[in-house]
Amino acid sequence: MTSLYVDRRGVTLKADGEALVFYENGERIGTVPLAPLSRVFMRGDVTLSSALLGKLGERGIGVVVLSGRKAVPTMLLGRPHNDAARRVAQYRLSLDADFCLRFSRAIVEAKLRAQAGFLAERRDSEAALALSADAVPASDWRAASRRSISRARRLRCAASKAPARRPTSRASPTCCPTA
């Protein structure tokens, strides 16, 4: 899936054969082939024709318009082609308890490894993080994640809530609570 982001003010988009052409002040400033695109995101003052929307829709290329200061998205989707099949497959997998356990275990393990790695990197500079890094040993979360999804989730929550305590010997890092 290749996405194209258009956020330049005053740009006009037109179709030219199998390419999307960009114009600014009536001058051609660039082209992008349609073949690799799956989505086009537009923000700001972008002008395009209904013929271009039709061509994008024929090729199954979705258009997302991000409008306003909060960039609230409005989607215009092309034909769903494999989207529906993908969603059905995801739904079927969500009903498979063994898959859910393996998938959840992999996510929790990856998050905890990343968190432990981050804390280990920061251990030397911030003593409070050294205490948090040791709050849940790696062997604990590996063993717990083998038992059940709920046990792995509880352990993940415990690791993320490990208190940052004041160091006893070094200068207080900025992440420590003041109370």
Side-chain angles (χ1 to χ4, degrees):
M1 282 179 68
T2 304
S3 297
L4 173 67
Y5 292 85
V6 181
D7 62 354
R8 193 166 177 174
R9 292 179 154 251
V11 171
T12 300
L13 303 178
K14 295 182 180 179
D16 184 12
E18 294 300 311
L20 187 60
V21 183
F22 296 82
Y23 290 89
E24 188 172 46
N25 299 325
E27 184 179 325
R28 185 177 178 145
I29 59 170
T31 61
V32 173
L34 292 175
L37 294 178
S38 61
R39 298 269 192 270
V40 176
F41 292 82
M42 294 184 292
R43 181 178 179 137
D45 185 22
V46 178
T47 305
L48 59 123
S49 68
S50 59
L52 176 59
L53 282 175
K55 187 168 244 185
L56 294 172
E58 285 173 6
R59 284 159 184 73
I61 301 170
V63 177
V64 179
V65 180
L66 303 170
S67 60
R69 289 182 183 210
K70 294 182 181 179
V72 177
T74 301
M75 296 178 69
L76 308 168
L77 298 174
R79 289 178 282 150
H81 59 284
N82 290 336
D83 285 349
R86 182 179 301 128
R87 299 294 175 257
V88 169
Q90 289 171 341
Y91 178 72
R92 282 190 183 133
L93 284 173
S94 75
L95 299 176
D96 180 355
D98 291 334
F99 171 80
C100 289
L101 181 58
R102 285 191 319 271
F103 190 71
S104 298
R105 190 179 293 145
I107 290 172
V108 170
E109 186 173 333
K111 285 183 173 190
L112 289 172
R113 282 184 195 278
Q115 185 179 30
F118 171 75
L119 292 173
E121 286 176 13
R122 304 292 302 230
R123 186 181 308 233
D124 294 335
S125 62
E126 297 182 32
L129 290 178
L131 296 171
S132 296
D134 298 326
V136 180
S139 59
D140 285 357
W141 57 261
R142 269 194 222 105
S145 68
R146 286 189 191 103
R147 290 185 202 133
S148 69
I149 292 175
S150 60
R151 176 77 173 117
R153 286 180 184 148
R154 283 195 304 275
L155 188 58
R156 177 180 168 259
C157 288
S160 68
K161 293 177 183 175
R165 289 172 243 148
R166 279 196 186 280
T168 55
S169 61
R170 289 160 77 161
S172 177
T174 58
C175 69
C176 285
T178 56

